[in-house]
Amino acid sequence: MKSAKLFRYTLPMDSGVILRDEKLTERVGYVVELNLNGQRGYGEIAPLPGFSLESVEEAGLQAQAQLELWLAGQALEFDALYPSVAFGLSMALLELSGAFPVEGNYLAAPLCTGDPDELLPILSAMPGDKVAKVKVGLYEPIRDGMLVNLFLESIPDLTLRLDANRAWTPGKANKFAQYITPSLRQRIVFIEEPCQKPGDSLSFAINTGIAIAWDETLQEAVKRDDFRLEDLTGVKAIVIKPTLIGSVQRCIGLIERAQALGIKTVISSSLESSLGLSQLARLSHWKLPNVTPGLDTIGLFKAQLHVAWPGCELPVMPLAEQNLVWQS
């Protein structure tokens, strides 16, 4: 017995969420529910406004067409689909197969904003490496440099992941680096995309000794037919956001190739709901068991969806209360 449903969900967001200079008041996406002989598999399809090329409407139409093919017994060609659709459908099929481990890595690298003392209790409760995250590029680079240096000086066993989102010119990036004590720079695990141009980011890494990671550059590269991860040289890490990359199989392929090349990999969120976020935590634990994922976004929502994120007290909205737009 085979059936499928497609739900469209709407979740309220925290009032302070800004994406590419646009305020995001609600998160809208789709959830696929597959049923095969009593077994169920779920997948979230949620293009990220300002980052995904496909709109929510385009993703929904494509998902429905693919579900009809699946019900007809046809194999799905994930590489031909929008990344968000490929990820959601492949995840639902993986879950349906029973091959997807249930255990997840729900630890998140805490976001540092100001006072190092506020971070200490969180870090002390973390097993393994003490890693935290700092958003840079929103203010003057001098301020960012002084803040990062303060955290590294104040907490000797702390390592930091920095995210700049291509905010800096080469001059501003170098100004930031001037305020990081050279002996502390090795404790910056990486900074994601410091400059607007990838070549400038590579120069920054060479000149300062601060490791960088590809995020947007990876998203752009995987769309090319001749993509090879080894062409994205000079970085210490890649950040995989499956909603923006594609199918689970493509993501696993990237993880395995990165490991062969000695490149660190981090699974990160694209503001998925608690359902999709929990699946990313499971994927990270399965394929990257010793790496803390970048899944610290549940606090940006005002409600959860279908499943609860461990330790989160936000109300959980049942999938059955969302808009069922198609079923067969």
Side-chain angles (χ1 to χ4, degrees):
M1 202 67 178
K2 205 176 187 182
S3 64
K5 295 179 181 179
L6 185 64
F7 296 88
R8 181 179 170 112
Y9 74 79
T10 302
L11 296 176
M13 302 293 293
D14 185 273
S15 59
V17 180
I18 306 291
L19 289 180
R20 295 264 166 96
D21 299 324
E22 295 289 332
K23 181 173 286 190
L24 189 68
T25 59
E26 60 185 19
R27 189 74 169 101
V28 179
Y30 293 90
V31 172
V32 171
E33 179 185 295
L34 304 180
N35 191 313
L36 182 62
N37 299 327
Q39 291 289 110
R40 284 188 172 83
Y42 295 91
E44 181 170 345
I45 299 170
L48 186 61
F51 293 83
S52 295
L53 296 179
E54 69 273 22
S55 68
V56 174
E57 289 71 24
E58 288 170 334
L61 289 172
Q62 188 178 80
Q64 181 178 326
Q66 294 298 307
L67 289 173
E68 291 170 352
L69 293 176
W70 179 74
L71 288 171
Q74 296 189 38
L76 304 186
E77 299 291 337
F78 295 127
D79 287 345
L81 304 179
Y82 296 129
S84 63
V85 178
F87 173 62
L89 290 176
S90 63
M91 179 60 77
L93 287 168
L94 177 62
E95 200 167 65
L96 189 67
S97 73
F100 190 34
V102 174
E103 189 174 359
N105 185 349
Y106 298 98
L107 292 172
L111 186 65
C112 306
T113 54
D115 187 354
D117 290 339
E118 294 178 359
L119 190 62
L120 287 172
I122 302 172
L123 292 174
S124 63
M126 291 178 68
D129 294 339
K130 311 302 183 187
V131 58
K133 184 174 182 177
V134 179
K135 289 279 189 181
V136 295
L138 299 176
Y139 305 99
E140 286 300 311
I142 294 174
R143 175 200 178 274
D144 286 337
M146 293 175 67
L147 179 64
V148 168
N149 205 66
L150 173 65
F151 275 109
L152 294 172
E153 282 186 338
S154 303
I155 309 174
D157 58 347
L158 175 67
T159 58
L160 290 178
R161 298 174 183 170
L162 311 181
D163 187 2
N165 287 124
R166 295 182 171 179
W168 291 327
T169 62
K172 287 186 175 181
N174 289 326
K175 182 67 71 174
F176 162 83
Q178 289 174 15
Y179 286 83
I180 308 295
T181 303
S183 61
L184 301 179
R185 293 179 185 181
Q186 63 182 358
R187 284 168 46 210
I188 296 175
V189 182
F190 56 74
I191 176 168
E192 296 177 35
E193 306 270 357
C195 300
Q196 295 155 359
K197 298 178 180 179
D200 291 336
S201 292
L202 286 171
S203 296
F204 167 83
I206 293 168
N207 294 335
T208 65
I210 297 175
I212 63 171
W214 292 141
D215 181 358
E216 292 94 339
T217 297
L218 177 66
Q219 295 162 30
E220 293 165 359
V222 296
K223 296 178 176 68
R224 299 197 299 265
D225 292 335
D226 61 347
F227 167 71
R228 298 189 322 146
L229 185 59
E230 40 268 80
D231 292 336
L232 298 183
T233 55
V235 297
K236 186 175 182 179
I238 57 172
V239 177
I240 295 180
K241 295 177 177 175
T243 288
L244 303 176
I245 293 294
S247 68
V248 176
Q249 291 78 6
R250 170 172 274 191
C251 294
I252 291 174
L254 283 172
I255 291 169
E256 292 175 347
R257 188 65 193 132
Q259 289 172 334
L261 294 170
I263 299 174
K264 184 182 181 72
T265 306
V266 176
I267 297 288
S268 188
S269 151
S270 301
L271 287 184
E272 290 84 4
S273 73
S274 58
L275 188 157
L277 204 63
S278 296
Q279 290 178 325
L280 291 178
R282 292 163 63 189
L283 178 62
S284 182
H285 186 270
W286 182 27
K287 294 299 177 179
L288 295 163
N290 299 315
V291 179
T292 301
L295 306 177
D296 55 344
T297 54
I298 194 64
L300 301 177
F301 288 80
K302 289 185 177 179
Q304 304 186 76
L305 180 67
H306 188 61
V307 296
W309 181 263
C312 181
E313 298 181 356
L314 292 171
V316 180
M317 299 177 69
L319 196 56
E321 292 183 3
Q322 302 304 306
N323 183 19
L324 178 60
V325 295
W326 178 89
Q327 65 176 329
S328 180

